[in-house]
Each structure stands twice: as structure tokens, then as C-alpha cells.
Amino acid sequence: MRNKTSILDKVIQQIYDADTFDRAKSIFINTVNNSKINSDDKYKMLSNIQNIESKYPSEKARLDAIKIYAINSMFEKKGMSTRSKYRY
């Protein structure tokens, strides 16, 4: 079985280490824009970042949210999502 990779694999640590939302956002957006993923997925990811920016009032909340979103996105692509696809 082939290991799944994510476009965020190479930059996730940079996003996590970012000390401002704008820095984390810049890394994320540049990575998405320079990737070969389809345009619908790019749009969805970039739209989610804009939603984070408008939803959270404080810098810390936005920074925490983008870090969580980036990590969850990476894990989801790798098939290790924390969100259950099954209902019990």
C-alpha cells in the first residue's frame, strides 16, 4: 500500500511554529496556491481560511484555529481523520 501524502506535509511545522495568524495564513495560502490539487479543493481550503479569519475575533483564536485546520486537513488527506465517517 502506498503512503498517502498531503500538500501540507512539508510546511505543517512552519504553520505550527508561526507566531502570528498572518504568517500562518501566508504559508498555508502559498502552499495551496502552488499545489497541483484541483481547483474545487483549492477554493474550499482558501474559503475555510477566510472563514477562520472572519469568525474569530482575536489573533490568538485565529492562530489556534488555522493550526488546527491545517493539522486536521493533513490528517484527513492521509486517511487519519479524527472525524468519524461512521455513525453508531
Side-chain angles (χ1 to χ4, degrees):
M1 178 175 14
R2 190 176 133 222
N3 288 336
K4 293 181 180 180
T5 61
S6 167
I7 62 167
L8 298 173
D9 283 344
K10 295 179 181 174
V11 297
I12 197 70
Q13 190 63 51
Q14 292 174 36
I15 292 170
Y16 188 80
D17 291 343
D19 55 354
T20 66
F21 172 77
D22 287 336
R23 179 70 186 130
K25 177 183 166 186
S26 174
I27 294 164
F28 190 97
I29 289 174
N30 288 337
T31 301
V32 170
N33 282 334
N34 292 320
S35 72
K36 294 180 183 178
I37 63 175
N38 70 55
S39 60
D40 289 340
D41 288 342
K42 279 185 185 184
Y43 176 79
K44 181 180 174 184
M45 293 175 85
L46 296 175
S47 176
N48 287 335
I49 296 301
Q50 293 301 320
N51 289 339
I52 288 170
E53 191 167 23
S54 64
K55 180 178 180 179
Y56 296 98
S58 74
E59 170 73 15
K60 180 170 178 5
R62 286 191 300 269
L63 182 57
D64 289 345
I66 196 171
K67 288 176 182 181
I68 292 167
Y69 176 68
I71 290 168
N72 286 342
S73 296
M74 184 186 73
F75 282 159
E76 187 173 328
K77 175 62 179 166
K78 291 175 168 276
M80 302 182 327
S81 176
T82 57
R83 296 182 200 125
S84 176
K85 295 181 183 177
Y86 305 103
R87 300 281 182 217
Y88 298 102

